[in-house]
Amino acid sequence: MDFCKIGLLSALMYPLENKDVLRACCDLMVLYTFFEDYTDVAMPHDARGLATIVMDALRNPNKPRPAEECVIGEISRQFSQSSLKCVSESVRCRFIEALDEYTTAVVEEAHDRAQSSIRNIDDYIILRRSTAAMNATFMPIQFTLDLPDEVFEDPVIRRLTDVCRDLSILMNDMYSYNIEQARGDIHNAVAVVMHQENIGLNETMKWVGDYCSKLVHNFLEDLCHVPSFGKEFDDQVKHYLDGLAYWTRGHDSWSFESHRYFKEDGLDIQKSRRVVLLPRESSN
């Protein structure tokens, strides 16, 4: 796990949060990493079984896990316990719902992988928003806030949230493409665009990069038009939006500083923007 630098990831993505929230975020990142590593190579029925274990442990943090169960159950239970210290019951319920959406989407991804099904880019992004767990992952930013639903339903706030979510998804897919193409994984925006547009890898990277640039422009534009929700809430809204921006930037930095995608070459690749493709792994 050390090659993922989970503590660094959490610190970079949630720099505004207190130590209890940060600890819960570290546990959440461990949960994501294990669940992703298990389900990335799982058949649909195995992925569904893992999702069931995770959700049962999250909903029942005081329930001992069976001794013969996959370790993902105990990881999920410990995360659920640590998050109880820093979140209200209402936010916790929304958080569990978001995690359920995530685990369900990962099972759907496993079905796509088993059938070698490649979606178009629009359908892919819709599914990827769930398989990337973005709704759940942004929620710790809200743990210490007390904002009414009308804030998150505001069109500008929703667009800003959506932009950060989609930008993070596309950047992650560019960075993870090399290791994923090596194992034949098609659940990646780069693979989807190459297939849909019938273009080469370099052209596809430019296509995705240009799309990301448009998203950054849209974020900065909308940031100038955030409405006031009253003195009681405006500082909290600023905390939420700053948190989204820190999260997006922090994840980008971690992608190069950890060894998850580029091993020891991340910082050099961040400067050169050149990646040597890995050979395709044997299916035997």
Side-chain angles (χ1 to χ4, degrees):
M1 285 297 296
D2 184 58
F3 76 95
C4 290
K5 299 187 178 181
I6 294 298
L8 174 66
L9 173 62
S10 301
L12 288 172
M13 294 196 306
Y14 302 101
L16 303 179
E17 310 312 320
N18 63 41
K19 65 178 182 179
D20 288 333
V21 174
L22 186 59
R23 169 56 197 270
C25 290
C26 288
D27 291 346
L28 179 60
M29 295 305 116
V30 171
L31 169 57
Y32 283 158
T33 302
F34 270 90
F35 188 65
E36 179 180 327
D37 286 349
Y38 277 121
T39 57
D40 272 352
V41 294
M43 295 300 291
H45 67 278
D46 294 324
R48 186 177 301 279
L50 290 166
T52 300
I53 290 172
V54 167
M55 293 313 303
D56 180 67
L58 290 171
R59 293 188 174 108
N60 301 283
N62 297 317
K63 172 184 172 182
R65 306 311 303 171
E68 70 279 4
E69 184 180 75
C70 175
V71 69
I72 195 72
E74 180 60 16
I75 292 171
S76 303
R77 188 194 70 80
Q78 290 189 22
F79 160 69
S80 192
Q81 274 197 332
S82 67
S83 68
L84 286 172
K85 301 176 183 178
C86 52
V87 62
S88 68
E89 184 59 29
S90 60
V91 173
R92 173 178 160 76
C93 288
R94 293 201 300 272
F95 193 28
I96 296 295
E97 288 177 7
L99 287 167
D100 192 27
E101 173 192 56
Y102 160 59
T103 58
T104 300
V106 168
V107 176
E108 189 173 349
E109 176 189 350
H111 279 285
D112 281 359
R113 187 169 55 246
Q115 298 168 5
S116 298
S117 175
I118 302 179
R119 298 168 181 251
N120 63 48
I121 189 62
D122 293 330
D123 289 345
Y124 170 79
I125 288 178
I126 290 172
L127 177 63
R128 187 74 171 99
R129 287 168 179 166
S130 298
T131 61
M134 299 309 298
N135 289 338
T137 306
F138 284 163
M139 203 157 287
I141 302 170
Q142 304 178 36
F143 277 8
T144 60
L145 306 181
D146 184 21
L147 290 169
D149 289 342
E150 68 180 273
V151 171
F152 301 105
E153 294 167 359
D154 178 82
V156 176
I157 301 298
R158 291 187 66 164
R159 287 199 301 270
L160 287 164
T161 303
D162 289 347
V163 161
C164 288
R165 178 181 60 190
D166 290 353
L167 182 60
S168 298
I169 287 169
L170 292 173
M171 290 191 305
N172 181 82
D173 279 9
M174 285 195 290
Y175 302 153
S176 65
Y177 173 76
N178 195 18
I179 58 174
E180 290 177 358
Q181 65 83 25
R183 64 176 183 241
D185 196 338
I186 56 176
H187 189 72
N188 184 292
V190 176
V192 169
V193 172
M194 287 178 69
H195 181 266
Q196 176 179 306
E197 302 295 324
N198 193 26
I199 55 179
L201 178 56
N202 288 339
E203 292 173 286
T204 300
M205 287 295 183
K206 184 179 186 306
W207 192 101
V208 177
D210 289 345
Y211 194 106
C212 289
S213 295
K214 292 177 184 177
L215 291 175
V216 171
H217 173 81
N218 292 343
F219 180 87
L220 296 175
E221 182 71 20
D222 272 333
L223 202 58
C224 298
H225 299 93
V226 176
S228 172
F229 296 92
K231 293 182 179 179
E232 181 181 359
F233 300 119
D234 282 351
D235 284 346
Q236 293 186 62
V237 171
K238 184 178 185 304
H239 178 107
Y240 173 70
L241 295 178
D242 286 348
L244 289 179
Y246 274 119
W247 194 101
T248 306
R249 186 67 184 90
H251 185 270
D252 182 73
S253 295
W254 169 83
S255 298
F256 295 101
E257 293 182 40
S258 73
H259 295 169
R260 184 158 179 81
Y261 302 133
F262 305 115
K263 297 188 177 179
E264 297 85 6
D265 300 324
L267 294 177
D268 290 335
I269 290 172
Q270 188 178 31
K271 296 176 182 178
S272 69
R273 299 289 166 169
R274 292 182 179 274
V275 177
V276 177
L277 285 182
L278 296 169
R280 184 66 67 92
E281 296 174 4
S282 172
S283 59
N284 296 330

